[in-house]
Amino acid sequence: MRNFLTILLVSILSSGCSSAYETYKLNQEFKVSLDKDGMGGYVWKMKPDSLVTIINEYEETYFNDTTQLNERNKIFELKAIKEGSTELQFIKKRSFEPDSLVPSENYYLKKIRIK
């Protein structure tokens, strides 16, 4: 029974700490949608990555029932151009802000694997 509890605890802890990669095929196109673009002058930008290229980026507006305001999502259409694993980095900041002053909650990281 003790071994069973130890194994159960280890499996729970390891599953909670797993860092999942989304897998895409070479030349496959995919989208990343990020919310609250443009609010307070903050806009989402993607840091360049050698494994993907940006095909298109645009905003979609939606009505937030809770705040009763129009809000925008930033959509990045990307294409996998090189095999490998990477962590795509998106940052929400004002145009005049240096990256070093951007708080951690304004970063979005997406782990991908391209085969």
Side-chain angles (χ1 to χ4, degrees), residues 41-107:
Y42 289 90
V43 294
W44 284 105
K45 297 290 181 188
M46 181 180 154
K47 292 196 173 194
D49 193 288
S50 64
L51 301 187
V52 300
T53 188
I54 298 174
I55 299 171
N56 192 17
E57 54 184 281
Y58 57 93
E59 289 99 21
E60 287 183 344
T61 303
Y62 65 95
F63 184 74
N64 184 323
D65 291 327
T66 305
T67 64
Q68 299 295 303
L69 298 171
N70 284 328
E71 295 183 5
R72 294 186 303 186
N73 284 345
K74 177 78 173 248
I75 313 296
F76 290 90
E77 292 180 349
L78 306 171
K79 183 176 182 179
I81 59 170
K82 190 175 178 184
E83 291 183 354
S85 297
T86 191
E87 188 172 68
L88 301 177
Q89 297 180 37
F90 301 88
I91 183 172
K92 183 169 64 170
K93 67 178 209 160
R94 293 181 180 134
S95 61
F96 57 85
E97 259 183 312
D99 290 359
S100 60
L101 295 180
V102 176
S104 61
E105 62 267 13
N106 286 9
Y107 281 88

Side-chain angles (χ1 to χ4, degrees), residues 9-21 111:
L9 180 62
V10 168
S11 73
I12 289 171
L13 290 174
S14 66
S15 68
C17 298
S18 69
S19 53
Y21 281 81
K111 293 182 178 187

